[in-house]
Amino acid sequence: MAYNILIVDDSKTIRSMLEKVINLSGVSLGEIKTAGNGKEALDSLKDNWIDLVLTDINMPVMGGMELIRAMAGDSMLKSIPVVVISSDGSTQRIKEVEEFGVSHYLRKPFTPEEVGQVIRTILEEPDGQANAGK
């Protein structure tokens, strides 16, 4: 099964780097979509089948927490796994996102290996069976 992933970050450089890391992760990929803020992400989620969202927290227009809250409140989007990738690694912030069922929290700076491992863990069970949407 090929997975579609949405990368949400206001930094074009971070989006590009994450796209490269995901392509090298070994996960069977369909499409990688990108968005510069939460509003663009919600638009993309309405128009595309997405299996995993990687999002920053601090972004203009609509931040990551607003995106996470909107997804959690939408019956069609709440089952999509979300990974937060942010420089804000405070205990309070991590606790806040966990309350909304975020699958994982990666703190910037991160290594490509960390990102790849998190994606593989979320999307694939050890026996190779798909885990997305469960």
Side-chain angles (χ1 to χ4, degrees), residues 21 104 106-121:
V21 167
H104 197 83
L106 272 174
R107 192 164 178 209
K108 293 177 186 175
F110 51 82
T111 65
E113 293 80 16
E114 288 174 307
V115 175
Q117 181 59 45
V118 167
I119 292 169
R120 286 189 304 276
T121 299

Side-chain angles (χ1 to χ4, degrees), residues 2 5 31 39 43 47 49 51 61 84 99 101 108 114 133:
I5 298 175
E31 293 183 279
K39 183 179 179 334
D43 291 342
D47 295 337
W49 179 268
D51 297 294
V61 182
V84 171
E99 289 174 8
K108 293 177 186 175
E114 288 174 307

Side-chain angles (χ1 to χ4, degrees), residues 88-102:
D88 182 353
S90 69
T91 305
Q92 179 181 357
R93 177 64 76 186
I94 293 170
K95 194 175 199 178
E96 184 180 9
V97 299
E98 286 176 347
E99 289 174 8
F100 285 94
V102 167

Side-chain angles (χ1 to χ4, degrees), residues 63-75:
M65 280 310 303
E66 293 166 291
L67 169 62
I68 292 164
R69 285 185 191 108
M71 289 178 67
D74 185 301
S75 62

